[in-house]
Amino acid sequence: MLKELQLSLLVILLLSCGFLYQLTLKSSCLFSCLPPHKSQQGPEALLGKGRSIVFLETSERTEPSPLVSCAVESAAKVYPEQPVVFFMKGLNSSMQLPPNSTYPAFSLLSAIDNVFLIPLDMKSLFEDTPLSSWYTQINASAERNWLHVSSDASRLAIIWKYGGVYMDTDVISIRPIPEETFWPAQASRYSNGVFGFPPPATPFLWQCMENFVEHYNSYIWGNQGPDLMTRMLRVWCKLEDFQELSDLRCLNVSFLHPQRFYPISYPEWRRYYEVWSPEPSFNDSYALHLWNYMNQEGKGVVRGSNTLVENLYRKHCPRTYRDLIRGPEGLVAGESGTGNK
Ligand SMILES: *[C@@H]1O[C@H](CO)[C@@H](O)[C@H](O)[C@H]1NC(C)=O
Ligand SMILES: *[C@@H]1O[C@H](CO)[C@@H](O)[C@H](O)[C@H]1NC(C)=O
Ligand SMILES: *[C@@H]1O[C@H](CO)[C@@H](O)[C@H](O)[C@H]1NC(C)=O
Ligand SMILES: *[C@@H]1O[C@H](CO)[C@@H](O)[C@H](O)[C@H]1NC(C)=O
Ligand SMILES: *[C@@H]1O[C@H](CO)[C@@H](O)[C@H](O)[C@H]1NC(C)=O
């Protein structure tokens, strides 16, 4: 009788050990700190650790263009242990995900372990920031450049709230950015196409949002974007000119040399769609900004063309290349999108 009791106690003990083990496996980050369940992640859970890579789509579009898909996939590849969060205005929480047969890029990105496609709800995003009063007073459908202006605002608010790295959807990541707090230079100005700040909320970004509202003018192109950054950084830091290829530093922020993200400058953007011999190594760059805004003529990537951009896709976003890039007959539709300049 006593033996039987001991035996059943042992069995119970073993069972509960197994159960506890399962539980710890599920809840701790034994192998990776990525959130275990992809589906019901709110922004807080995903972005809370401040290590996310953030992309934005401020139009209603839910099927990303090949370039957007490449940007997101390449970031997921370069930062496999970090969540890559793609905020889309066209998604909302009650909506079912689009079926994957008709949305190949959407399903390609959803299938990547560390990519999360979540709704962009500007009203709640801007709450508790200087942008809130501006946003509630504005009539979005009457604003000039609204897709870009709302993207400029959203990126400031997201990185202020959660920390992390913001990237435009026409930036192809090629190697990790070794800095946590950085701002890139583009010629003599500062761009807002890529930037990173760790949490907690930095006063610099708060002041950027205040300045955004104070000087808001959607008729001036870039006034809320690169111009805002250049205005603000001049107030905070006396920066000298870059010497050769080295970066600058001021107040714990690294100001990255134009080579890091803009090795091909915007007047030269067509070079990405040309055949090079030999190809540039981009050894001094972390990511490449493809200047999609300049691409009004809708140049795309053609399989077998051996252009620089085709080879970049093949190497840095192989799934996008495999699934979305056609040969010369089936030209991919014009690569447009927003959140990228
Ligand atoms: C979510 O999307 C559906 C379908 O597009 C729409 O009917 C609904 O009003 C949206 N809900 C919100 C809260 O935006
Ligand atoms: C499409 O969806 C099905 C079922 O939802 C899934 O098994 C399949 O892997 C998906 N395909 C792609 C390319 O994501
Ligand atoms: C917003 O702007 C649009 C386009 O100019 C106009 O039709 C609409 O009436 C405006 N809405 C409000 C609430 O003012
Ligand atoms: C710079 O960073 C260090 C260490 O993270 C911190 O102690 C210091 O306060 C920071 N300085 C400024 C001006 O933010
Ligand atoms: C770029 O880096 C690779 C690997 O570090 C090296 O093999 C190559 O020679 C470098 N190219 C140039 C042009 O510096």
Coordinates of all heavy atoms in Angstrom, one line a residue, residues 156-222:
L156 N 8.7 59.5 -35.7 CA 9.2 60.2 -34.5 C 8.5 59.6 -33.3 O 9.1 59.3 -32.3 CB 8.9 61.7 -34.6 CG 9.7 62.4 -35.6 CD1 9.3 63.9 -35.7 CD2 11.2 62.4 -35.2
A157 N 7.1 59.5 -33.4 CA 6.4 59.0 -32.2 C 6.7 57.6 -31.9 O 6.8 57.3 -30.7 CB 4.9 59.2 -32.5
I158 N 6.9 56.7 -32.8 CA 7.2 55.3 -32.5 C 8.5 55.2 -31.8 O 8.7 54.5 -30.8 CB 7.1 54.4 -33.8 CG1 5.7 54.3 -34.3 CG2 7.7 53.0 -33.5 CD1 5.6 53.7 -35.7
I159 N 9.5 55.8 -32.4 CA 10.9 55.7 -31.8 C 11.0 56.4 -30.5 O 11.6 56.0 -29.5 CB 12.0 56.1 -32.8 CG1 11.9 55.3 -34.1 CG2 13.4 56.0 -32.2 CD1 12.0 53.8 -33.9
W160 N 10.2 57.5 -30.3 CA 10.2 58.2 -29.0 C 9.5 57.2 -28.0 O 10.0 57.1 -26.9 CB 9.4 59.5 -29.1 CG 9.3 60.1 -27.8 CD1 10.3 60.8 -27.1 CD2 8.2 60.1 -26.9 NE1 9.9 61.2 -25.8 CE2 8.6 60.7 -25.7 CE3 6.9 59.5 -26.9 CZ2 7.7 60.9 -24.6 CZ3 6.1 59.7 -25.9 CH2 6.5 60.3 -24.7
K161 N 8.4 56.6 -28.4 CA 7.7 55.7 -27.4 C 8.5 54.5 -27.1 O 8.5 54.1 -25.9 CB 6.4 55.3 -28.0 CG 5.3 56.4 -27.8 CD 3.9 55.8 -28.0 CE 2.9 56.9 -27.5 NZ 1.5 56.6 -28.0
Y162 N 9.0 53.8 -28.1 CA 9.5 52.5 -27.8 C 11.0 52.3 -28.0 O 11.6 51.3 -27.5 CB 8.9 51.5 -28.8 CG 7.4 51.5 -28.8 CD1 6.6 52.0 -29.8 CD2 6.7 50.9 -27.7 CE1 5.2 52.1 -29.8 CE2 5.3 50.9 -27.6 CZ 4.6 51.5 -28.7 OH 3.2 51.5 -28.7
G163 N 11.7 53.3 -28.6 CA 13.1 53.1 -29.0 C 13.2 52.1 -30.2 O 12.2 51.5 -30.6
G164 N 14.4 51.9 -30.7 CA 14.6 51.0 -31.8 C 15.1 51.8 -33.0 O 15.6 52.9 -32.9
V165 N 15.1 51.1 -34.1 CA 15.6 51.7 -35.4 C 14.5 51.8 -36.4 O 13.7 50.9 -36.6 CB 16.7 50.8 -36.0 CG1 17.2 51.2 -37.3 CG2 17.9 50.7 -35.0
Y166 N 14.4 53.0 -36.9 CA 13.4 53.2 -38.0 C 14.1 53.1 -39.3 O 15.2 53.6 -39.5 CB 12.7 54.6 -37.9 CG 12.0 55.0 -39.1 CD1 10.7 54.5 -39.4 CD2 12.6 55.7 -40.2 CE1 10.1 54.7 -40.6 CE2 12.0 55.9 -41.4 CZ 10.7 55.4 -41.6 OH 10.1 55.6 -42.8
M167 N 13.5 52.5 -40.3 CA 14.0 52.5 -41.7 C 12.9 52.8 -42.7 O 11.8 52.2 -42.5 CB 14.6 51.1 -42.0 CG 15.8 50.8 -41.3 SD 16.6 49.3 -41.9 CE 17.9 49.1 -40.7
D168 N 13.2 53.5 -43.7 CA 12.3 53.7 -44.9 C 12.2 52.4 -45.6 O 13.1 51.5 -45.5 CB 12.9 54.7 -45.9 CG 12.6 56.1 -45.5 OD1 11.8 56.4 -44.6 OD2 13.2 57.0 -46.1
T169 N 11.1 52.2 -46.3 CA 10.8 50.9 -47.0 C 11.6 50.8 -48.3 O 11.3 49.9 -49.1 CB 9.3 50.7 -47.2 OG1 8.8 51.9 -47.8 CG2 8.6 50.5 -45.9
D170 N 12.5 51.7 -48.6 CA 13.4 51.5 -49.7 C 14.8 51.5 -49.3 O 15.7 51.9 -50.0 CB 13.2 52.6 -50.8 CG 13.4 54.0 -50.2 OD1 13.5 54.2 -49.0 OD2 13.5 55.0 -51.0
V171 N 15.1 50.9 -48.1 CA 16.4 50.8 -47.6 C 16.7 49.3 -47.5 O 16.0 48.5 -46.8 CB 16.5 51.4 -46.2 CG1 17.8 51.1 -45.5 CG2 16.4 52.9 -46.3
I172 N 17.7 48.8 -48.2 CA 18.1 47.4 -48.2 C 19.2 47.3 -47.2 O 20.3 47.9 -47.3 CB 18.5 46.9 -49.6 CG1 17.4 47.1 -50.6 CG2 19.0 45.5 -49.5 CD1 17.7 46.6 -52.0
S173 N 19.0 46.4 -46.2 CA 20.0 46.2 -45.1 C 21.1 45.2 -45.7 O 20.7 44.2 -46.2 CB 19.4 45.7 -43.9 OG 18.5 46.6 -43.3
I174 N 22.3 45.6 -45.5 CA 23.4 44.6 -45.9 C 24.3 44.1 -44.8 O 24.9 43.1 -44.9 CB 24.2 45.2 -47.1 CG1 25.0 46.5 -46.7 CG2 23.3 45.5 -48.3 CD1 25.9 47.0 -47.8
R175 N 24.4 44.9 -43.7 CA 25.1 44.4 -42.5 C 24.6 45.2 -41.3 O 24.0 46.2 -41.4 CB 26.6 44.5 -42.7 CG 27.2 45.9 -42.9 CD 28.7 45.8 -42.8 NE 29.3 45.0 -43.9 CZ 29.5 45.5 -45.2 NH1 29.1 46.7 -45.5 NH2 30.0 44.7 -46.1
P176 N 24.8 44.6 -40.1 CA 24.2 45.3 -38.9 C 24.8 46.6 -38.7 O 26.0 46.9 -38.9 CB 24.6 44.3 -37.7 CG 25.0 43.0 -38.4 CD 25.5 43.3 -39.7
I177 N 24.0 47.6 -38.2 CA 24.5 48.9 -37.8 C 25.1 48.7 -36.4 O 24.3 48.3 -35.5 CB 23.3 49.9 -37.8 CG1 22.6 49.9 -39.2 CG2 23.8 51.3 -37.4 CD1 21.3 50.7 -39.2
P178 N 26.3 49.0 -36.2 CA 26.9 48.7 -34.9 C 26.6 49.8 -33.9 O 27.1 49.7 -32.8 CB 28.5 48.7 -35.3 CG 28.6 49.6 -36.5 CD 27.3 49.5 -37.2
E179 N 25.8 50.7 -34.2 CA 25.4 51.8 -33.3 C 24.0 51.6 -32.8 O 23.2 51.2 -33.6 CB 25.5 53.2 -33.9 CG 26.8 53.4 -34.7 CD 27.9 53.9 -33.9 OE1 27.7 54.2 -32.7 OE2 29.1 53.8 -34.4
E180 N 23.7 52.1 -31.6 CA 22.3 52.1 -31.1 C 21.7 53.4 -31.3 O 20.5 53.5 -31.6 CB 22.3 51.7 -29.6 CG 21.1 51.0 -29.2 CD 21.1 50.6 -27.8 OE1 22.0 50.9 -27.0 OE2 20.1 50.0 -27.3
T181 N 22.5 54.5 -31.1 CA 21.9 55.8 -31.2 C 22.6 56.5 -32.3 O 23.8 56.8 -32.3 CB 22.2 56.6 -29.9 OG1 21.8 55.8 -28.8 CG2 21.5 57.9 -29.9
F182 N 21.9 56.7 -33.4 CA 22.6 57.3 -34.6 C 21.7 58.1 -35.5 O 20.4 57.9 -35.4 CB 23.3 56.2 -35.4 CG 22.3 55.2 -36.0 CD1 21.7 55.5 -37.3 CD2 21.8 54.1 -35.3 CE1 20.8 54.6 -37.9 CE2 20.9 53.3 -35.9 CZ 20.4 53.5 -37.2
W183 N 22.3 58.9 -36.2 CA 21.6 59.7 -37.2 C 22.4 59.8 -38.4 O 23.6 60.0 -38.3 CB 21.3 61.1 -36.7 CG 20.0 61.6 -37.2 CD1 19.7 61.9 -38.4 CD2 18.8 61.6 -36.4 NE1 18.4 62.2 -38.5 CE2 17.8 62.0 -37.3 CE3 18.4 61.3 -35.1 CZ2 16.5 62.1 -36.9 CZ3 17.1 61.4 -34.7 CH2 16.1 61.8 -35.6
P184 N 21.9 59.5 -39.6 CA 22.8 59.5 -40.8 C 22.8 60.9 -41.5 O 21.8 61.6 -41.5 CB 22.1 58.5 -41.7 CG 20.7 58.5 -41.4 CD 20.5 59.0 -40.0
A185 N 24.0 61.2 -42.0 CA 24.1 62.4 -42.8 C 23.9 62.0 -44.3 O 24.3 60.9 -44.7 CB 25.4 63.0 -42.6
Q186 N 23.3 63.0 -45.0 CA 23.1 62.8 -46.5 C 23.6 64.1 -47.0 O 23.0 65.1 -46.9 CB 21.7 62.5 -46.7 CG 21.3 62.6 -48.2 CD 19.9 63.1 -48.3 OE1 19.0 62.8 -47.5 NE2 19.6 63.8 -49.4
A187 N 24.8 64.0 -47.7 CA 25.5 65.3 -48.1 C 25.6 66.2 -46.9 O 26.0 65.8 -45.8 CB 24.8 65.9 -49.3
S188 N 25.1 67.4 -47.0 CA 25.4 68.4 -45.9 C 24.1 68.4 -45.0 O 24.1 69.2 -44.0 CB 25.6 69.7 -46.4 OG 24.5 70.1 -47.2
R189 N 23.1 67.5 -45.2 CA 21.9 67.6 -44.4 C 21.8 66.3 -43.6 O 22.5 65.3 -43.8 CB 20.7 67.7 -45.3 CG 20.8 68.9 -46.2 CD 19.4 69.3 -46.6 NE 18.6 68.2 -47.1 CZ 17.3 68.3 -47.4 NH1 16.6 69.4 -47.0 NH2 16.6 67.3 -47.9
Y190 N 20.8 66.2 -42.7 CA 20.6 65.0 -42.0 C 19.2 64.5 -42.5 O 18.3 65.2 -42.6 CB 20.6 65.3 -40.5 CG 22.0 65.5 -40.1 CD1 22.5 66.8 -40.0 CD2 22.9 64.5 -39.9 CE1 23.8 67.1 -39.8 CE2 24.2 64.7 -39.6 CZ 24.7 66.0 -39.6 OH 26.0 66.2 -39.3
S191 N 19.2 63.2 -42.7 CA 18.0 62.6 -43.3 C 17.2 62.0 -42.2 O 17.7 61.7 -41.1 CB 18.5 61.6 -44.3 OG 17.7 60.4 -44.2
N192 N 16.0 61.7 -42.4 CA 15.2 60.9 -41.4 C 14.8 59.5 -42.0 O 13.8 58.9 -41.6 CB 14.0 61.7 -40.9 CG 12.9 61.9 -42.0 OD1 13.2 61.8 -43.2 ND2 11.7 62.2 -41.5
G193 N 15.6 59.1 -43.0 CA 15.2 57.8 -43.6 C 15.6 56.6 -42.8 O 15.1 55.5 -43.0
V194 N 16.6 56.7 -42.0 CA 17.0 55.7 -41.0 C 17.5 56.4 -39.8 O 18.3 57.4 -39.9 CB 18.3 54.9 -41.6 CG1 18.6 53.7 -40.7 CG2 18.1 54.5 -43.0
F195 N 17.1 56.0 -38.6 CA 17.7 56.5 -37.4 C 17.4 55.6 -36.2 O 16.5 54.8 -36.3 CB 17.3 58.0 -37.1 CG 15.8 58.1 -36.9 CD1 15.2 58.0 -35.6 CD2 15.0 58.4 -38.0 CE1 13.9 58.2 -35.5 CE2 13.6 58.6 -37.8 CZ 13.0 58.5 -36.5
G196 N 18.2 55.7 -35.2 CA 18.0 54.8 -34.1 C 18.2 55.5 -32.8 O 19.1 56.3 -32.6
F197 N 17.3 55.2 -31.8 CA 17.5 55.7 -30.5 C 17.0 54.5 -29.5 O 16.0 53.9 -29.8 CB 16.6 56.9 -30.2 CG 17.2 58.2 -30.6 CD1 17.0 58.7 -31.9 CD2 18.0 58.9 -29.7 CE1 17.5 59.9 -32.2 CE2 18.6 60.1 -30.1 CZ 18.3 60.6 -31.4
P198 N 17.8 54.3 -28.5 CA 17.3 53.3 -27.5 C 16.2 53.9 -26.6 O 16.2 55.1 -26.5 CB 18.5 52.9 -26.7 CG 19.4 54.2 -26.8 CD 19.0 54.8 -28.1
P199 N 15.3 53.1 -26.0 CA 14.5 53.7 -25.0 C 15.3 54.1 -23.8 O 16.5 53.6 -23.7 CB 13.5 52.6 -24.6 CG 14.2 51.3 -25.0 CD 15.2 51.7 -26.0
P200 N 15.0 54.9 -22.8 CA 13.7 55.5 -22.7 C 13.6 56.8 -23.6 O 14.6 57.2 -24.2 CB 13.6 55.9 -21.3 CG 15.0 56.2 -20.9 CD 15.8 55.3 -21.7
A201 N 12.4 57.2 -23.8 CA 12.0 58.4 -24.6 C 13.1 59.5 -24.4 O 13.3 60.0 -23.3 CB 10.7 58.9 -24.1
T202 N 13.7 59.9 -25.5 CA 14.7 60.9 -25.4 C 14.1 62.3 -25.6 O 13.2 62.5 -26.5 CB 15.8 60.7 -26.5 OG1 15.1 60.8 -27.8 CG2 16.5 59.4 -26.4
P203 N 14.6 63.3 -24.9 CA 14.1 64.6 -25.0 C 14.4 65.2 -26.4 O 13.6 66.0 -26.9 CB 14.9 65.4 -24.0 CG 16.0 64.5 -23.4 CD 15.6 63.1 -23.8
F204 N 15.4 64.7 -27.1 CA 15.6 65.2 -28.4 C 14.4 64.9 -29.4 O 14.0 65.8 -30.1 CB 16.9 64.5 -29.0 CG 17.2 64.9 -30.4 CD1 17.6 66.2 -30.8 CD2 16.9 64.0 -31.5 CE1 17.8 66.6 -32.1 CE2 17.1 64.4 -32.8 CZ 17.5 65.7 -33.1
L205 N 13.9 63.6 -29.3 CA 12.8 63.3 -30.2 C 11.5 64.0 -29.8 O 10.7 64.4 -30.6 CB 12.6 61.8 -30.2 CG 13.7 61.0 -30.9 CD1 13.4 59.5 -30.8 CD2 13.8 61.4 -32.3
W206 N 11.4 64.3 -28.5 CA 10.2 65.1 -28.0 C 10.3 66.5 -28.6 O 9.3 67.0 -29.1 CB 10.3 65.1 -26.5 CG 9.1 65.9 -25.9 CD1 9.0 67.2 -25.6 CD2 7.8 65.3 -25.6 NE1 7.8 67.5 -25.1 CE2 7.0 66.4 -25.1 CE3 7.2 64.1 -25.7 CZ2 5.7 66.2 -24.7 CZ3 5.9 63.9 -25.3 CH2 5.2 65.0 -24.8
Q207 N 11.5 67.1 -28.6 CA 11.6 68.4 -29.1 C 11.4 68.4 -30.7 O 10.9 69.4 -31.2 CB 13.0 69.0 -28.7 CG 13.0 69.3 -27.3 CD 14.3 70.0 -26.8 OE1 15.0 70.6 -27.6 NE2 14.5 70.0 -25.5
C208 N 11.8 67.3 -31.3 CA 11.6 67.2 -32.7 C 10.1 67.2 -33.0 O 9.6 67.9 -33.9 CB 12.1 65.9 -33.3 SG 13.9 65.9 -33.5
M209 N 9.3 66.5 -32.2 CA 7.8 66.5 -32.4 C 7.2 67.9 -32.1 O 6.3 68.3 -32.8 CB 7.2 65.4 -31.5 CG 7.5 64.0 -31.9 SD 6.6 62.7 -31.0 CE 7.4 62.7 -29.5
E210 N 7.7 68.6 -31.1 CA 7.3 70.0 -30.8 C 7.6 70.9 -32.0 O 6.7 71.6 -32.5 CB 7.9 70.5 -29.6 CG 7.4 69.9 -28.3 CD 8.1 70.5 -27.1 OE1 9.2 71.0 -27.2 OE2 7.4 70.5 -26.0
N211 N 8.8 70.7 -32.6 CA 9.2 71.5 -33.7 C 8.4 71.2 -34.9 O 8.0 72.1 -35.7 CB 10.7 71.3 -33.9 CG 11.3 72.3 -34.9 OD1 11.1 72.2 -36.1 ND2 12.0 73.3 -34.3
F212 N 8.0 69.9 -35.1 CA 7.2 69.5 -36.2 C 5.9 70.3 -36.2 O 5.4 70.8 -37.2 CB 6.9 68.0 -36.0 CG 6.1 67.3 -37.0 CD1 6.6 66.4 -37.9 CD2 4.7 67.6 -37.2 CE1 5.9 65.7 -38.9 CE2 3.9 67.0 -38.1 CZ 4.5 66.0 -39.0
V213 N 5.2 70.4 -35.0 CA 3.9 71.0 -34.9 C 4.1 72.5 -35.1 O 3.3 73.2 -35.8 CB 3.3 70.7 -33.6 CG1 2.0 71.4 -33.4 CG2 3.1 69.2 -33.4
E214 N 5.1 73.1 -34.5 CA 5.3 74.5 -34.5 C 5.6 75.0 -35.9 O 5.1 76.1 -36.3 CB 6.6 74.8 -33.7 CG 6.7 76.2 -33.1 CD 7.8 76.2 -32.1 OE1 7.9 75.3 -31.2 OE2 8.7 77.1 -32.2
H215 N 6.4 74.3 -36.7 CA 6.8 74.7 -38.0 C 6.0 74.0 -39.1 O 6.5 73.9 -40.3 CB 8.3 74.5 -38.3 CG 9.1 75.4 -37.4 ND1 9.5 76.7 -37.7 CD2 9.6 75.2 -36.1 CE1 10.1 77.2 -36.7 NE2 10.2 76.3 -35.7
Y216 N 4.9 73.4 -38.8 CA 4.2 72.5 -39.8 C 3.8 73.3 -41.0 O 3.1 74.3 -40.9 CB 3.0 71.9 -39.1 CG 2.2 71.0 -40.1 CD1 2.8 69.8 -40.5 CD2 1.0 71.4 -40.6 CE1 2.1 69.0 -41.4 CE2 0.3 70.6 -41.5 CZ 0.9 69.4 -41.9 OH 0.3 68.6 -42.8
N217 N 4.2 72.7 -42.2 CA 3.8 73.3 -43.4 C 3.9 72.2 -44.5 O 5.0 71.9 -44.9 CB 4.7 74.5 -43.8 CG 4.2 75.1 -45.1 OD1 3.5 74.5 -45.9 ND2 4.7 76.3 -45.4
S218 N 2.8 71.6 -44.8 CA 2.9 70.4 -45.7 C 3.2 70.8 -47.1 O 3.4 70.0 -48.0 CB 1.6 69.6 -45.6 OG 0.5 70.4 -46.2
Y219 N 3.2 72.1 -47.4 CA 3.4 72.6 -48.8 C 4.9 72.5 -49.1 O 5.4 72.4 -50.3 CB 2.9 74.0 -49.1 CG 1.4 73.9 -49.3 CD1 0.5 74.0 -48.2 CD2 0.9 73.7 -50.6 CE1 -0.8 74.0 -48.4 CE2 -0.5 73.7 -50.8 CZ -1.3 73.8 -49.7 OH -2.7 73.7 -49.9
I220 N 5.8 72.6 -48.1 CA 7.2 72.6 -48.3 C 7.7 71.2 -48.2 O 7.6 70.5 -47.1 CB 8.0 73.5 -47.3 CG1 7.4 74.9 -47.3 CG2 9.5 73.5 -47.5 CD1 8.0 75.8 -46.2
W221 N 8.2 70.6 -49.2 CA 8.6 69.2 -49.3 C 9.8 69.0 -48.3 O 10.7 69.8 -48.3 CB 9.1 68.9 -50.7 CG 9.7 67.5 -50.8 CD1 11.0 67.3 -50.9 CD2 9.0 66.3 -50.6 NE1 11.2 65.9 -50.9 CE2 10.0 65.3 -50.7 CE3 7.7 65.9 -50.5 CZ2 9.6 64.0 -50.6 CZ3 7.3 64.6 -50.3 CH2 8.3 63.6 -50.4
G222 N 9.7 68.0 -47.5 CA 10.7 67.7 -46.5 C 10.8 68.6 -45.3 O 11.6 68.4 -44.4

